[in-house]
Amino acid sequence: MQRRFMGLVAAGAAFGMTVMLAGCGTTGGSDGVTLRLVAADYGNGAADSSRTYWDDLARDFESRNPGIKVDVDVYSWKDVDRKVAEMVDAGNAPDIAQIGAYADYANQDKLYRVEELVTIPTQANFLPMLIEAGQTGSAQYGLPFAASTRLLFFNEELFDDAGVEAPKTWQELRVAAQKLKARGVTYPFALPLGSEESQAETMIWLLSGGGGYRDRNGGEYQIDSEQNIRTFSWLKEKLVTPGLTGPVPPGKLDRAQAFEAFTRGEVGMLNGHPTLMQQAEKKGVKVGMVPMPGAEGQAEASMGVADWMMAFKQHGHRKEIGRFLDFAYSDKNVLEFSDRYDILPVTVSASETMAADTKHKDLWEFLAALPTSELYPSGEMSWAKVSASVKQNIGQAVAPDGSPAVVLNRIANDAAKAEIEADASK
């Protein structure tokens, strides 16, 4: 594992050594400044809400930085992007937002560039692939906050009871789901295509079918490609219609519901990330994990996810924001959040530490997949609207009266309109 990150460590260290003397101005005194931070909740309820982490971090920061206060608001992933958008539209943007996309706000000239905020050592320490993903045009506006990759999770006890092994192809996945259903499993395969985070579940399946949101060569959206239509047609015909996805229609099943059902032992299989592994094991579920199957074998590409931190210019607190972000991205704080939620760190030094520590052994497979995984096109100004269209529409593609081709074409049209609007606003 350590060898996998040597190139990343060397790249980050070399860049940092060349610019150590050129750091940006995030030092100096401040009087009576209150920063407002809006963040997403990585927990699974009040007991493990991210609010506890942010409140503790804010109090620690305040004790070290007299004159700067940090007010924290934490919302579920289902609501946080909308909440921030409403604040911005109302003319009262937060100083810092930790959400899913930054490019649209960068295009509206509402965000500070990363180089205006944090010191050069902090900036150079981000994983190179995430630095690139945080850029719009030639400037970086998004600071990666947390990363994860996806694997196919399965309940080992339910699999043993049904006499099935971890699937390597779609057909094996379908057969396993049939046997699980025959044994009375509530959700043989949980397929969350509700409004919470269906853009992730969609991307996992598109990649496993040889497609994706975008053309990997030209970079254009290809949402209604033949591969993608074929993938969702298979999902509808082979999993959803035969009742292999459980009692809740996929379009009404949110990720949080599916994850909670998995921790209760009601789900045979679903696509999961590291946090779910931790939550399930705490409830006594024996979790198996394998790469996502493809149509004929292991999928050619896996999905990676990075969530983003961004700083709004509206209230003019550049120095104070920068000081807080430098503090938040220290190894201690990055690793504490990663430990708490089994999230992959976004910095070279923290990744190196995790890769070398056997207490993180359960995360090594996720960590190894990150440098070569495919991320959302977060740097595209159109992505926020495309993601919203996926969340709104994709569940209908597998509904009894839905057509995968029609629904994917609808989303593709929304993507084309978003691209035109983005180009016109440049």
Side-chain angles (χ1 to χ4, degrees):
M1 278 300 300
Q2 292 183 62
R3 289 196 299 271
R4 294 179 184 273
F5 280 90
M6 286 302 292
L8 296 176
V9 173
F15 180 58
M17 288 296 291
T18 62
V19 293
M20 279 290 287
L21 299 179
C24 63
T26 59
T27 61
S30 297
D31 292 321
V33 171
T34 298
L35 301 178
R36 186 180 185 190
L37 166 68
V38 177
D41 197 345
Y42 288 76
N44 197 36
D48 66 345
S49 171
S50 299
R51 173 172 288 281
T52 302
Y53 170 83
W54 285 115
D55 284 344
D56 291 345
L57 184 71
R59 301 298 83 78
D60 191 9
F61 173 78
E62 290 171 354
S63 70
R64 300 164 188 257
N65 294 271
I68 307 177
K69 299 294 184 183
V70 182
D71 287 343
V72 177
D73 288 311
V74 175
Y75 298 98
S76 72
W77 272 111
K78 187 173 182 178
D79 298 323
V80 67
D81 289 330
R82 174 178 56 82
K83 289 288 188 179
V84 171
E86 289 172 352
M87 294 173 194
V88 173
D89 290 344
N92 189 26
D95 294 286
I96 306 168
Q98 186 269 299
I99 52 177
Y102 63 86
D104 196 40
Y105 297 125
N107 182 54
Q108 298 173 43
D109 195 30
K110 295 182 181 296
L111 302 180
Y112 288 113
R113 299 190 305 276
V114 172
E115 64 184 17
E116 298 177 286
L117 295 166
V118 298
T119 58
I120 292 298
T122 298
Q123 188 177 355
N125 197 27
F126 293 123
L127 292 170
M129 64 169 301
L130 298 179
I131 292 176
E132 181 178 354
Q135 295 175 349
T136 291
S138 59
Q140 183 182 354
Y141 292 91
L143 297 91
F145 175 71
S148 67
T149 50
R150 300 292 194 262
L151 296 174
L152 180 69
F153 283 30
F154 60 94
N155 185 312
E156 291 185 347
E157 292 184 354
L158 295 180
F159 265 50
D160 290 344
D161 181 63
V164 293
E165 297 182 352
K168 298 178 181 178
T169 67
W170 285 0
Q171 176 60 19
E172 291 179 4
L173 186 150
R174 179 185 177 223
V175 170
Q178 290 172 328
K179 292 183 177 180
L180 290 164
K181 182 181 180 182
R183 298 296 294 175
V185 175
T186 305
Y187 295 89
F189 186 95
L191 184 65
L193 295 179
S195 61
E196 181 188 4
E197 206 194 16
S198 54
Q199 81 280 8
E201 186 71 19
T202 298
M203 185 171 175
I204 292 169
W205 279 99
L206 296 185
L207 291 173
S208 74
Y213 283 125
R214 299 177 70 83
D215 180 350
R216 293 170 195 165
N217 297 318
E220 297 180 353
Y221 285 108
Q222 55 171 18
I223 294 170
D224 58 348
S225 68
E226 290 183 9
Q227 297 101 314
N228 292 346
I229 293 172
R230 185 163 56 245
T231 294
F232 266 81
S233 295
W234 187 91
L235 273 175
K236 179 180 179 181
E237 296 168 8
K238 303 300 185 181
L239 286 187
V240 179
T241 300
L244 302 179
T245 54
V248 180
K252 296 185 180 300
L253 183 67
D254 284 340
R255 183 188 65 169
Q257 294 173 274
F259 281 12
E260 288 171 6
F262 187 78
T263 65
R264 294 194 300 266
E266 298 174 0
V267 175
M269 298 174 280
L270 84 173
N271 289 306
H273 57 52
T275 302
L276 176 61
M277 176 185 64
Q278 179 193 65
Q279 294 168 347
E281 290 176 347
K282 285 182 178 179
K283 295 289 186 67
V285 175
K286 294 183 179 180
V287 182
M289 296 177 292
V290 293
M292 177 65 183
E296 303 297 335
Q298 182 176 327
E300 294 180 6
S302 62
M303 192 189 83
V305 174
D307 302 324
W308 301 97
M309 190 88 80
M310 62 210 70
F312 287 86
K313 298 192 294 186
Q314 181 178 349
H315 303 296
H317 297 149
R318 181 185 66 82
K319 287 200 307 181
E320 294 81 6
I321 294 170
R323 194 182 302 175
F324 177 80
L325 292 174
D326 277 325
F327 180 74
Y329 282 104
S330 68
D331 277 1
K332 172 182 177 294
N333 290 322
V334 170
L335 287 168
E336 182 178 342
F337 190 87
S338 297
D339 286 343
R340 189 174 298 196
Y341 295 106
D342 276 344
I343 291 291
L344 303 182
V346 296
T347 63
V348 172
S349 55
S351 295
E352 182 185 28
T353 298
M354 180 175 283
D357 191 341
T358 55
K359 81 174 184 178
H360 297 296
K361 189 175 181 179
D362 288 345
L363 292 176
W364 284 356
E365 190 170 356
F366 294 98
L367 194 63
L370 181 60
T372 57
S373 61
E374 186 167 329
L375 304 175
Y376 296 136
S378 302
E380 298 295 330
M381 291 175 283
S382 56
W383 172 241
K385 292 181 179 179
V386 175
S387 177
S389 180
V390 173
K391 292 179 182 180
Q392 179 180 351
N393 293 296
I394 197 63
Q396 187 60 31
V398 296
D401 59 347
S403 163
V406 170
V407 172
L408 290 171
N409 181 256
R410 183 186 309 148
I411 298 171
N413 288 337
D414 288 342
K417 292 176 184 177
E419 288 273 73
I420 292 171
E421 291 173 0
D423 289 341
S425 65
K426 291 180 181 178

